[in-house]
Structures are given as C-alpha cells and as structure tokens.
C-alpha cells in the first residue's frame, strides 16, 4: 500500500476490448491494491457499463480498488499518477473510410491502422486529439506517467514527445503472441525465453531468441524448412472466414531470408511490404493473410459488448486471469521501485545504432523506479534496417502534415508507402482528397 492511493486514469475507459483486460490486470497486481481507477470516455453509456464491470471484478478480488467515472477530461486526470490511452478517433465509422476508400483504388489493407493509406489518415485525425489529451494531462498532472496503447503507436507516441514533456511509453502486446506460438511449436516454457528485439511497432524483429542454451531462432528456421508443406496446407476460404488468425507463413518466410523473426501477427507485417497484399498474391491469401473488414470488426465489438453485459448479469463467471498486457506490471514496477523487463516503444537514445535518433523504436527495456529505459541492440541487419527506415521517414512526414495541415506532405507520405506502389501518381492524389473529405470533421487543420 502507498501513502496515498495511486490514481490510475484510463482514457478510453468505455472500450469493451481494452478496459476489462487492463482493469482486471490492475486488480490482480498486489502492489496496486487500494488504488483509484478512473474511467473516462466520450461514450458515457459505455463508460458507466464498464465501470459496473470493473467494480464487480474489484469485489470478487477484494482488492479495495475504487472505480470512478469522470466525463470531464481535466477533472479525470487531475492529480493522476498514471494515465493510459486506448482511444480511436471516429471509431469504426471513420475506419470504414480508411478501409473502403483505398479498396476502391485497388489498395487492399489487412488491418489499416498503422501504415498504408488507412494508417496515414488514422494518424492525421488521431494526432491532434492525442496531443490535446496529452497537453491537458501535462497541465494538471505534469508528473504523471503516460502509457499509450493507441494506434498508430509510433506516430502518436512521437507526437506526444514532440509537443509535451510527459514521461511517455508506448505499449504493444504483439511480441507475447509470437512467443506463445514459438513456445508451443518448440515445446518450451515462454518464461524461460530471452529475446533481443529491435524495430518499430508492428515491424519489430526478434534478432535473437534463446532458452536453456538453445538457439530458438535457428530451431524455428529448421522447423519451418521441415514443415513448410504443413503450414501451406490451408483452406484459402478459411482466410476470409478467419481473418484474425495468424498462420505465421509470412513471418516464417521472412525468417528464411532475413534471419530474424517479425514479432507482429502476419496481418500487421504484410502491410509494411509492397508485395504480400498485391493482386498477384491474391491480396494476402497466398500467405494465409485475410483482409479484416469493417463487418469483421463490428462483429467483434458486438461480441465484446455482449460478453461484458452477460458477465455483469453473472459476476461469478467473470474471468480473473491476467492478460498479456504489461501496463499493470509497469505501473507496479515504477510505484514499488522494482525492475522488470518489457517490450517498449521509446525515443531512440542509442537502442538501435542505424536508425535515426529520437525516432520511436520498439525494443526490450527495463522499467524501474525511474521509469523505462530501452535496451541497446546495436545495429539492425542491413536489409531489415532499410525497410524500417522508409517507414520512419514516412512517420516524420505524417507527423508534420498532421501538425500543419500540409496536404503535399501528406501526399508525399502516401506516395512513399509501399502499399501504394501499384496505385499510380494521379490516383493517389485523388484517393487522398477523398480520404480528407470523408474525415473533414476530424481534420480541421486541412481546411
């Protein structure tokens, strides 16, 4: 217990996907017993419904965590010790344009939230909102730690560093899913693995992976070579029916060539390259990658809402297992002054020698009483570094376009994106104008 209860604020507290996971993790962390958890959201009905769920979790675990709601952002973050961000400006209605407009121009996206035209316009509308939130936090809780889960992770975290002095870290769970799969394939406990990771969010790479004296990357490469046919023996129709499934074919194919293993799910990784989602690759299907539609996402949201509502009616069925999210452990580490290791998105202060300084890079890092510090990995392999740099350059252009409303900069970033290589110059310009028009209410800087 602390002298005064920690104040932990969840902005986007009405998220049916994020809030149940993060809140349960906080309540499972003994060091956070007695904290105050504040949910803030612009969707007041969702905010209250999730607060009811969180209070039931607190009662079941008897952690004495007090759950509050506050619709006024400034009041919510007043005196906060930790602020977590899980928002999506415009929600699925906006994301519909991100996916469907590029598709009409022949640009297919398997996710559409990090790179490609969807990632670009999501950045443009999210950056001003996120910066405004961060500056509000800074004005009333300047010592708070700001933990960002919102995509596009890299550009938003970079924007917060550019416009505030908040102590900020970006968090993503993709690595844990990969390690779970490797553990299952090789028959080894995940907790015994030691990974060296470097890159950018959704395109970071496991550069080395060891456990109990074993070289697990070498073993995975051997396993892939021996079992390639088994991986490739899948029903193409299942790809569209199960678009969220990670079949690992794409990243194992890259491991064969680059010698390191991409951490994110294949549907994320595919969007960083010009060929996996091309017509020649049947828009990802040849590699087991499906195109996640808005209908897929709406079904997921409806299922998550139904699940929360059913569990509120039957609180004895609420699951009380920890998730793969790192937020609660990071908060506890800082609050308690103990060191733990996590995958972190931080400015490049020397973690990766051959990427630009201050760019947001994703590496393992140590979190302790003084906060997070990235672990240096030296240089990325040349082939990997060249891919990553292209996207970092795009992020800088995107950031400046979002701050200034410079359409030409936004167009340059779009034209430089690998997914646009088959689109054509004039069509790219038309696509951008259509996207800017569709999102005009969230993009006043472009007027």
């Amino acid at each position: 217990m602390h002298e005064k209860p920690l104040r932990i604020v969840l902005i986007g507290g009405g998220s049916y996907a994020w809030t149940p996971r993060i809140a349960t993790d906080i309540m499972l962390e003994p060091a956070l017993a007695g904290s105050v958890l504040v949910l803030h959201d612009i969707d007041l009905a969702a905010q209250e419904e999730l607060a009811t769920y969180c209070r039931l979790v607190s009662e079941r675990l008897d952690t004495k965590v007090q759950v509050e709601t506050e619709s006024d952002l400034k009041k919510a973050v007043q005196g906060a010790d930790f602020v977590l961000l899980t928002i999506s400006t415009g929600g699925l209605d906006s994301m519909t344009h991100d996916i469907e407009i590029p598709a009409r121009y022949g640009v297919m996206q398997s996710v559409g939230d990090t790179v490609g035209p969807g990632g670009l316009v999501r950045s443009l509308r999210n950056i001003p909102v996120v910066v405004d939130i961060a500056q509000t936090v800074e004005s009333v809780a300047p010592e708070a730690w700001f933990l960002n889960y919102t995509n596009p992770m890299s550009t938003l975290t970079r924007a917060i560093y550019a416009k505030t002095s908040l102590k900020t870290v970006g968090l993503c769970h993709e690595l844990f899913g990969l390690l779970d799969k490797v553990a299952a394939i090789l028959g080894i406990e995940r907790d015994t693995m030691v990974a060296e990771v470097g890159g950018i969010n959704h395109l970071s790479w496991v550069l080395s992976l060891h456990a109990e004296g074993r070289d697990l990357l070498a073993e995975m490469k051997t396993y892939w070579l021996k079992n390639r046919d088994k991986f490739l023996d899948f029903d193409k129709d299942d790809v569209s029916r199960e678009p969220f499934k990670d079949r690992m074919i794409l990243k194992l194919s890259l491991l064969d060539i680059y010698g390191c293993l991409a951490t994110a799910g294949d549907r994320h990784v595919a969007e960083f390259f010009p060929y996996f989602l091309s017509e020649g690759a049947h828009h990802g299907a040849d590699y087991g990658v499906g195109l996640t539609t808005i209908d897929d996402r709406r079904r997921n949201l409806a299922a998550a809402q139904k699940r929360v509502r059913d569990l509120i009616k039957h609180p004895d069925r609420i699951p009380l297992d920890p998730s793969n999210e790192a937020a609660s452990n990071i908060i506890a580490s800082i609050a308690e002054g103990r060191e733990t290791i996590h995958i972190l998105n931080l400015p490049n202060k020397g973690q990766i020698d051959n990427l630009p300084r201050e760019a947001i890079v994703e590496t393992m890092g140590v979190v302790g009483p003084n906060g997070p510090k990235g672990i240096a990995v030296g240089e990325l392999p040349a082939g990997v570094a060249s891919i990553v740099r292209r996207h970092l350059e795009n992020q800088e252009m995107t950031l400046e376009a979002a701050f200034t409303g410079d359409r030409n900069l936004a167009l340059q970033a779009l034209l430089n994106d690998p997914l646009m290589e088959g689109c054509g110059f004039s069509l790219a310009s038309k696509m951008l104008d259509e996207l800017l028009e569709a999102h005009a209410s969230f993009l006043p800087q472009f007027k």
Side-chain angles (χ1 to χ4, degrees):
M1 298 288 290
H2 306 276
E3 291 182 8
K4 75 175 183 66
L6 289 176
R7 185 173 179 86
I8 304 168
V9 183
L10 184 51
I11 299 176
S15 168
Y16 291 88
W18 286 105
T19 299
R21 268 188 275 173
I22 291 173
T24 301
D25 287 346
I26 287 171
M27 294 170 192
L28 284 168
E29 176 56 65
L32 303 182
S35 298
V36 176
L37 176 64
V38 184
L39 305 187
H40 166 79
D41 205 289
I42 59 174
D43 184 338
L44 300 186
Q47 173 184 281
E48 295 304 322
E49 192 163 47
L50 269 300
T52 299
Y53 180 94
C54 293
R55 292 184 183 114
L56 292 170
V57 175
S58 184
E59 288 173 14
R60 286 202 61 195
L61 290 171
D62 193 27
T63 64
K64 306 297 189 293
V65 170
Q66 181 181 342
V67 179
E68 300 179 356
T69 60
E70 178 52 70
S71 58
D72 183 280
L73 174 63
K74 198 166 188 176
K75 290 179 181 178
V77 299
Q78 181 81 47
D81 298 291
F82 297 89
V83 178
L84 292 79
L85 185 70
T86 62
I87 69 165
S88 175
T89 304
L92 290 180
D93 289 341
S94 287
M95 199 172 186
T96 300
H97 301 307
D98 300 350
I99 301 297
E100 294 182 355
I101 290 174
R104 290 202 293 271
Y105 288 83
V107 179
M108 315 306 288
Q109 300 169 97
S110 42
V111 184
D113 73 355
T114 300
V115 292
L120 169 67
V121 75
R122 189 184 183 98
S123 286
L124 295 178
R125 67 174 183 271
N126 256 334
I127 285 172
V129 172
V130 169
V131 166
D132 183 64
I133 289 170
Q135 289 176 337
T136 299
V137 174
E138 186 177 36
S139 71
V140 297
E143 296 304 313
W145 288 93
F146 198 92
L147 280 59
N148 177 40
Y149 272 104
T150 299
N151 287 325
M153 170 67 64
S154 299
T155 53
L156 296 183
T157 305
R158 179 87 170 98
I160 296 165
Y161 271 100
K163 295 296 184 179
T164 77
S165 58
L166 281 178
K167 299 173 290 190
T168 303
V169 60
L171 301 176
C172 182
H173 55 221
E174 292 288 324
L175 173 66
F176 305 120
L178 171 68
L179 295 183
D180 283 338
K181 288 181 173 66
V182 172
I185 289 171
L186 299 182
I188 193 166
E189 291 294 323
R190 192 188 90 177
D191 291 345
T192 66
M193 297 179 179
V194 178
E196 184 181 47
V197 179
I200 56 176
N201 183 239
H202 291 156
L203 190 65
S204 58
W205 301 78
V206 178
L207 306 172
S208 69
L209 186 62
H210 294 88
E212 300 172 353
R214 296 164 58 180
D215 183 342
L216 303 184
L217 279 189
E219 290 187 29
M220 281 300 296
K221 190 168 184 177
T222 299
Y223 186 90
W224 162 243
L225 294 174
K226 289 182 177 178
N227 297 278
R228 190 191 303 259
D229 290 344
K230 291 181 182 178
F231 280 92
L232 296 176
D233 184 21
F234 64 91
D235 185 344
K236 292 284 180 70
D237 291 334
D238 284 343
V239 172
S240 58
R241 287 193 293 261
E242 299 180 289
F244 295 98
K245 184 176 180 179
D246 184 12
R247 294 171 178 81
M248 295 188 69
I249 296 166
L250 192 151
K251 62 176 143 281
L252 288 172
S253 300
L254 293 172
L255 171 65
D256 212 11
I257 297 168
Y258 291 99
C260 42
L261 192 57
T263 62
D266 281 4
R267 53 196 282 276
H268 274 302
V269 178
E271 294 188 322
F272 288 85
F273 296 86
Y275 28 79
F276 292 120
L277 298 176
S278 67
E279 188 175 356
H282 297 97
H283 304 303
D286 288 356
Y287 294 89
V289 174
L291 303 177
T292 314
T293 67
I294 292 299
D295 286 342
D296 293 326
R297 290 180 169 88
R298 291 195 190 281
R299 282 191 290 270
N300 269 11
L301 174 59
Q305 290 172 327
K306 182 178 185 303
R307 180 173 178 272
V308 166
R309 289 163 186 165
D310 288 346
L311 290 171
I312 287 174
K313 294 175 184 176
H314 304 283
D316 57 306
R317 300 178 189 172
I318 290 176
L320 301 176
D321 301 317
S323 76
N324 270 332
E325 305 306 334
S328 63
N329 195 263
I330 287 174
I331 293 170
S333 296
I334 295 172
E336 292 288 292
R338 53 184 166 89
E339 291 191 343
T340 50
I341 294 177
H342 299 277
I343 183 79
L344 306 173
N345 285 266
L346 292 167
N348 186 19
K349 303 291 187 182
Q351 298 97 295
I352 304 178
D353 288 337
N354 54 345
L355 293 184
R357 289 297 180 107
E358 304 305 323
I360 301 299
V361 295
E362 188 169 83
T363 67
M364 304 307 295
V366 178
V367 178
N370 297 317
K373 182 178 181 181
I375 295 174
V377 300
E379 293 191 349
L380 295 183
V384 167
S386 67
I387 299 164
V388 172
R389 279 194 212 99
R390 178 173 181 177
H391 290 282
L392 283 176
E393 289 166 357
N394 260 20
Q395 288 172 13
E396 291 301 305
M397 285 189 284
T398 301
L399 204 70
E400 190 62 23
F403 289 150
T404 64
D406 188 327
R407 178 192 174 277
N408 280 345
L409 265 182
L411 181 57
Q412 288 171 38
L414 184 64
L415 288 167
N416 193 46
D417 193 284
L419 287 186
M420 296 296 295
E421 290 196 359
C423 182
F425 182 82
S426 61
L427 288 181
S429 183
K430 291 178 181 177
M431 180 200 297
L432 178 62
D433 286 339
E434 194 172 339
L435 285 166
L436 295 178
E437 177 62 29
H439 295 294
S441 61
F442 294 111
L443 298 172
Q445 70 271 43
F446 283 91
K447 291 180 181 178

